[in-house]
Amino acid sequence: MTPVPQTAPRPTDEDAAMSLRADCVADSAGGLTFDMPEPGETGDTHLVLRHRDGVQEVRLPLAPAADGRLRAALPSGVELPEGRWDAFAQTAGGDPQRLTPGLNDLRSLVDRVPSGARGHVAVRIPYPTKHGNLSVRSWLRAPHAEAGELHIGEGGELGVDGQVYGVTLTPDAYAELTGREEAESRRAEVHRDGAEFRFSVACTGLPEGIWDLWLRPAGETGPRVRIARLLDDIADKKTIYTYPKVTWETEYGPVEAGPYYTSDNNLSVSVSAVTA
């Protein structure tokens, strides 16, 4: 089924007051175009993207477009560091005005296959915040390991299919499952087919905690690449992509494990005791 552009819900509470709605169109190269009405003030107007760190800012000139609207472009070649960026409109020396989402046309992001020619993968996905405002989620990975299909076997094995960008898979490649709480890791053999890879790791028997999945495309001497799912139109995958869990018995009681995507859309495995 081909997805269609979605209009975000109208903002609530104080965010709805005097809001400007901006339409966003994403292109397959990773660029974004913003269209919005005139803000009603005179002077040069910019679309301002502010990183949540409170330090970084990107200013894009808004130029007249069709039907009396203004347009700003964020080309794929303009670097936007990883993180969440809040969108504002600002005219001359006036105060920035928070933008709300209009029509988000993200169809070109579905099944996107970047060339990786620049040595990195840039992903920008506009989305509505919980308060109904417009923000952009950005990733900049160099290199990048894109997770594809996940398979949960009856024996508790997690199978991962994927593809790398910006790096070559060598015969020394392997996958790594690393615990956050403990300085422990497990290795898995990688099967290669050009830039595509697949491997499986055993979930059963893992100690409780969070285990992060990495790819070592050139073995121990090369880069350590976090496995993530970025190349689609979903900004936050944690609650959208859900997978079954496997359960096994330990001397302390039943334990369950299953894959999930973190708030940064990285792939991890959660292992926890089963509560009654």
Side-chain angles (χ1 to χ4, degrees):
M1 179 180 293
T2 301
V4 296
Q6 298 293 319
T7 301
R10 291 185 178 274
T12 58
D13 303 326
E14 70 275 7
D15 297 295
M18 303 299 290
S19 62
L20 285 172
R21 296 170 67 85
D23 298 336
C24 296
V25 178
D27 63 49
S28 59
L32 292 176
T33 301
F34 302 86
D35 279 15
M36 55 172 283
E38 293 271 3
E41 302 176 17
T42 58
D44 293 337
T45 304
H46 287 79
L47 187 139
V48 181
L49 296 175
R50 287 184 176 172
H51 196 283
R52 296 274 176 88
D53 64 7
V55 177
Q56 302 176 84
E57 182 177 285
V58 173
R59 300 179 66 85
L60 305 171
L62 280 157
D67 301 323
R69 293 170 65 82
L70 299 176
R71 177 171 297 169
L74 177 66
S76 59
V78 174
E79 184 173 307
L80 195 68
E82 282 207 25
R84 297 180 188 270
W85 297 76
D86 297 328
F88 300 82
Q90 186 175 24
T91 301
D95 294 330
Q97 186 173 348
R98 196 73 167 90
L99 294 175
T100 60
L103 187 70
N104 279 350
D105 186 349
L106 309 181
R107 288 173 292 181
S108 66
L109 299 182
V110 179
D111 298 325
R112 177 184 169 216
V113 182
S115 68
R118 293 190 178 97
H120 67 258
V121 170
V123 178
R124 295 88 174 262
I125 305 178
Y127 70 97
T129 70
K130 64 181 179 181
H131 297 299
N133 294 314
L134 175 63
S135 292
V136 175
R137 185 69 174 90
S138 175
W139 290 267
L140 190 64
R141 299 286 171 97
H144 171 54
E146 175 74 4
E149 293 293 328
L150 304 184
H151 312 274
I152 312 297
E154 293 183 359
E157 284 200 334
L158 167 64
V160 179
D161 295 338
Q163 182 167 342
V164 295
Y165 298 88
V167 69
T168 300
L169 286 169
T170 74
D172 296 325
Y174 63 88
E176 194 172 70
L177 194 68
T178 303
R180 290 189 197 172
E181 289 78 13
E182 303 289 339
E184 183 180 354
S185 64
R186 310 282 178 94
R187 290 189 182 187
E189 180 184 0
V190 166
H191 301 277
R192 302 172 295 123
D193 183 5
E196 297 180 354
F197 64 86
R198 59 185 176 87
F199 65 88
S200 61
V201 293
C203 293
T204 55
L206 289 173
E208 290 186 44
I210 302 299
W211 294 77
D212 297 328
L213 276 79
W214 301 80
L215 183 69
R216 301 296 295 261
E220 293 182 350
T221 60
R224 188 167 180 257
V225 185
R226 191 71 164 90
I227 300 175
R229 183 163 185 155
L230 308 180
L231 301 178
D232 58 25
D233 60 339
I234 301 173
D236 293 292
K237 297 177 176 61
K238 189 171 184 178
T239 59
I240 302 298
Y241 288 92
T242 58
Y243 300 93
K245 296 183 177 182
V246 295
T247 304
W248 68 95
E249 290 291 334
T250 73
E251 58 181 309
Y252 306 105
V255 173
E256 64 179 9
Y260 76 99
Y261 288 104
T262 71
S263 58
D264 289 324
N265 292 352
N266 295 322
L267 182 59
S268 295
V269 173
S270 174
V271 183
S272 59
V274 177
T275 56

